[in-house]
Amino acid sequence: RTPALRERPEDIAPLARHFLQQQGPRDGRPLRLGADALQVLAHHDWPGNVRELRNAMQRAWALSGQGLVDAALARRVIA
């Protein structure tokens, strides 16, 4: 049995960064996760597990216009 993502909060940051890297650079720069965004992601329950996190990072990449995922954007993509 593989534990749910909510049981492995230490995996959220590396997985989120990986999914952003898969999307490629934004405006020629890699998209970064701010510390405040990581806190928002860490406190989410992730009922959709890793697939939900991947989809959230895809939405963050599409919506980010500044090269940084901040707390406001993180809240927006997990809502």
Side-chain angles (χ1 to χ4, degrees), residues 9-45:
E10 68 278 0
D11 290 345
I12 293 171
L15 283 169
R17 287 185 184 108
H18 171 75
F19 294 138
L20 285 177
Q21 286 176 345
Q22 282 186 324
Q23 294 299 308
R26 183 81 173 162
D27 299 326
R29 299 176 307 189
L31 190 60
R32 297 177 300 113
L33 280 169
D36 57 346
L38 287 172
Q39 287 184 346
V40 170
L41 297 176
H43 287 96
H44 185 62
D45 197 26

Side-chain angles (χ1 to χ4, degrees), residues 2-79:
T2 302
L5 187 55
R6 70 181 155 271
E7 297 171 21
R8 304 176 283 136
E10 68 278 0
D11 290 345
I12 293 171
L15 283 169
R17 287 185 184 108
H18 171 75
F19 294 138
L20 285 177
Q21 286 176 345
Q22 282 186 324
Q23 294 299 308
R26 183 81 173 162
D27 299 326
R29 299 176 307 189
L31 190 60
R32 297 177 300 113
L33 280 169
D36 57 346
L38 287 172
Q39 287 184 346
V40 170
L41 297 176
H43 287 96
H44 185 62
D45 197 26
W46 299 110
N49 225 338
V50 175
R51 184 179 298 159
E52 182 184 3
L53 177 59
R54 183 188 67 219
N55 291 339
M57 292 303 95
Q58 289 172 343
R59 285 192 303 276
W61 185 88
L63 295 172
S64 175
Q66 59 192 18
L68 176 69
V69 177
D70 59 11
L73 182 56
R75 283 187 204 95
R76 187 173 169 195
V77 299
I78 61 176

